[in-house]
Amino acid sequence: MKSLNQWLCGAAALSVVAGAAHAAPSSIKTQPFGSVDGKQVQLYTLTNSHGLTVKITNYGGIVTSVLAPDRKGKLGEVVLGFDDVDGYVNDPNGTYFGALIGRYANRIAKGTFTLDGKTYHIAINNPPNTLHGGKKGFDKKVWSAQPFKTGAGVGVKLAYVSADGEENYPGKVTLNVAYTLANDGSLKITYRAVTTKDTVVNFTNHTYFNLNGAGNGTILNHLVTLNANRFTPIDTTSIPTGVLQPVAGTPFDFRRPHAIGERINKTDTQLKNGSGYDHNFVVNGRGMRMSARVYSPTTGRVLEEYTTEPGVQLYTGNFLNGKNIGHDGKAYPRRSGFCLEAQHFPDTPNQPKFPTAELKPGQVYHQTTIYKFSAR
Ligand code: BGC
């Protein structure tokens, strides 16, 4: 039987570089995207030499759109999102579509943690817990932005300074994020952060993908492979129990490709607690390595994810409800998008055995995560 690595490499060899049919210089375009809190925000359109197009706004650092080719080379929207900034500001569902999440991505139990003997309370915005940074996380801030073009590709550099005490977190945190779109179909996201006081950080990108096309039904037929032997089971409020449970013999075993819908409705306590897949997987190995591959048999599109982070949250859009009307006026029903949020494990500030999420003055936080698009 093939090992996971052999399978991953073999499948990569079969794939074609996203949009290889086209050939034009890569480009970057800046245009107004509306205003928030009286500040003008921009939309940056990055296009690689094969026509793969990624749109990013400096409101929340949101990836609003990815036009990726299918197996016939036809470009289509694969990201759930809106065509103007108001869609994001007024989102009735709290979806975090496409956004950069901070200061602490995912949940902190009861919004409470203790650091250096002091207890901190963050707003309970997902009762009984805090989710994705509190009341007004990094996803709802206007970031400073600078488009760039280098030999590596076209991109946009974003920066956000979170004041000491913002959302009750200690320390002033400066976060720099660069999105780079390369000609090989990869969208690289690099993060760098420093702090003035001991604090906790967890950053991720919250893009929802549908490789059949955003608004074209569910993602239940997508085949997922995860480079993870273990996951972090959760309680009924989605807080990890602290156990790193082997996936073997469970519906969480994606070491070989499985359709998202194959086991999602099984009677299983973990699937019940997450209302489907909404769990953090412990990525095998360290350093930059492949964490996930998703393939749509309908369109042939492939999304690969690589990351330096210890975990990836697979979220299958269980709380989407059709009330978000996005690109091309299409509704986004339940399970019509999936996220692969590279991150530290949820609730790490309360879980001494998890890889630490503490950041101290003098230390530099680094993360690199790549979403790579192709088709076969
Ligand atoms: C969480 C989900 C949540 C979604 C949108 C995901 O990261 O794991 O539970 O519903 O974000 O807020």
Side-chain angles (χ1 to χ4, degrees):
M1 204 191 232
K2 278 187 174 180
S3 73
L4 176 67
N5 270 340
Q6 282 169 324
W7 186 88
L8 292 170
C9 294
L14 289 175
S15 67
V16 291
V17 171
H22 308 251
S26 56
S27 65
I28 176 158
K29 190 176 87 184
T30 305
Q31 66 197 105
F33 197 51
S35 67
V36 184
D37 301 337
K39 292 178 203 160
Q40 173 73 55
V41 295
Q42 308 292 343
L43 187 69
Y44 301 92
T45 302
L46 318 176
T47 305
N48 81 359
S49 60
H50 304 295
L52 178 69
T53 298
V54 176
K55 296 183 187 177
I56 293 160
T57 173
N58 62 322
Y59 175 68
I62 294 171
V63 175
T64 66
S65 163
V66 173
L67 299 175
D70 65 11
R71 60 164 72 88
K72 291 182 182 147
K74 188 164 175 266
L75 292 173
E77 181 61 72
V78 296
V79 158
L80 275 55
F82 306 108
D83 294 328
D84 60 30
V85 80
D86 294 343
Y88 295 95
V89 175
N90 303 325
D91 179 354
N93 273 331
T95 55
Y96 300 86
F97 280 162
L100 292 175
I101 309 291
R103 187 176 298 195
Y104 196 92
N106 216 312
R107 292 175 175 82
I108 295 177
K110 314 244 170 18
T112 301
F113 64 93
T114 301
L115 184 65
D116 302 333
K118 196 172 165 206
T119 300
Y120 295 90
H121 298 284
I122 316 298
I124 309 292
N125 59 334
N126 186 250
N129 304 314
T130 190
L131 175 68
H132 295 331
K135 231 189 259 166
K136 192 169 177 186
F138 293 10
D139 59 291
K140 295 178 185 67
K141 304 286 182 177
V142 178
W143 297 49
S144 61
Q146 189 65 51
F148 67 88
K149 190 168 182 176
T150 65
V154 281
V156 54
K157 286 183 185 164
L158 299 165
Y160 177 67
V161 180
S162 171
D164 185 7
E166 186 180 87
E167 292 289 325
N168 282 350
Y169 287 99
K172 173 173 137 184
V173 168
T174 304
L175 173 60
N176 293 280
V177 175
Y179 285 103
T180 309
L181 177 65
N183 289 336
D184 68 353
S186 60
L187 176 66
K188 181 162 85 174
I189 316 172
T190 55
Y191 303 69
R192 181 190 190 276
V194 292
T195 182
T196 58
K197 289 182 186 162
D198 289 7
T199 192
V200 292
V201 296
N202 195 17
F203 306 122
T204 194
N205 175 275
H206 206 290
T207 299
Y208 292 63
F209 300 97
N210 185 329
L211 302 180
N212 293 340
N216 294 349
T218 72
I219 40 77
L220 295 173
N221 79 333
H222 289 39
L223 294 169
V224 172
T225 312
L226 297 177
N227 179 23
N229 295 340
R230 294 173 297 170
F231 76 112
T232 57
I234 51 176
D235 67 14
T236 53
T237 75
S238 292
I239 294 295
T241 61
V243 174
L244 303 185
Q245 189 184 320
V247 295
T250 77
F252 294 80
D253 190 347
F254 284 97
R255 293 173 296 173
R256 305 251 173 276
H258 286 275
I260 292 174
E262 183 187 324
R263 300 164 296 184
I264 200 167
N265 291 321
K266 279 205 156 164
T267 306
D268 176 275
T269 306
Q270 282 306 311
L271 289 170
K272 188 169 171 223
N273 288 355
S275 300
Y277 296 104
D278 192 0
H279 294 76
N280 175 81
F281 287 78
V282 180
V283 182
N284 298 333
R286 282 164 192 264
M288 195 64 176
R289 70 273 194 230
M290 184 181 276
S291 41
R293 169 180 288 127
V294 185
Y295 169 67
S296 159
T298 310
T299 63
R301 290 192 184 100
V302 179
L303 171 66
E304 291 170 342
E305 183 188 50
Y306 302 79
T307 188
T308 54
E309 286 297 283
V312 165
Q313 182 93 1
L314 170 65
Y315 170 56
T316 49
N318 311 308
F319 303 116
L320 296 175
N321 56 14
K323 287 192 185 149
N324 291 111
I325 310 295
H327 299 307
D328 303 318
K330 291 182 180 172
Y332 300 140
R334 186 167 199 232
R335 295 181 177 156
S336 63
F338 68 90
C339 303
L340 288 166
E341 306 157 48
Q343 58 186 239
H344 273 58
F345 306 165
D347 196 33
T348 290
N350 293 307
Q351 302 273 359
K353 289 194 184 137
F354 287 178
T356 185
E358 284 179 30
L359 183 67
K360 298 177 191 301
Q363 296 179 337
V364 182
Y365 168 101
H366 288 287
Q367 176 192 158
T368 302
T369 296
I370 292 175
Y371 293 128
K372 186 170 183 200
F373 301 91
S374 59
R376 59 183 157 92

